[in-house]
Amino acid sequence: LDHIAFKVEDISGIITKIKQMKIPFCSNQIAKTGVTQIFFKEPAGVHVEVNCTLLSESETESEGNGDELTACYNDNSRA
């Protein structure tokens, strides 16, 4: 298994939890679709993708030009 993806309603809770666990991750926000994604690896090295749609379908049709915003988090004090 190389990759697994989940759709959630509360991505901020997931981000809080993986920060507490000091797991490095990247996040991606896609303005056109209203989707926020986070990516990280689980202990066996499998890539995990978590998706959350923050805008309704009608909002995504009128929002932005599809620009993406990507950021990464890496707490080097991970045990």
Side-chain angles (χ1 to χ4, degrees):
L1 179 66
D2 175 67
H3 173 254
I4 189 165
F6 299 94
K7 183 176 181 182
V8 301
E9 292 184 12
D10 178 21
I11 203 158
S12 62
I14 302 292
I15 291 171
T16 298
K17 184 67 174 175
I18 63 175
K19 280 184 173 182
Q20 288 172 347
M21 297 174 71
K22 298 183 172 43
I23 297 172
F25 70 94
C26 289
S27 65
N28 189 32
Q29 293 180 330
I30 306 168
K32 184 175 183 176
T33 61
V35 171
T36 298
Q37 303 171 302
I38 57 173
F39 305 93
F40 59 95
K41 287 186 181 180
E42 56 88 54
V46 175
H47 295 268
V48 178
E49 174 183 336
V50 181
N51 296 292
C52 181
T53 302
L54 300 176
L55 300 175
S56 70
E57 190 173 313
S58 62
E59 289 174 309
T60 61
E61 291 173 0
S62 63
E63 288 289 323
N65 59 4
D67 290 344
E68 295 184 17
L69 175 63
T70 302
C72 293
Y73 168 86
N74 186 3
D75 184 333
N76 291 326
S77 65
R78 185 176 181 192

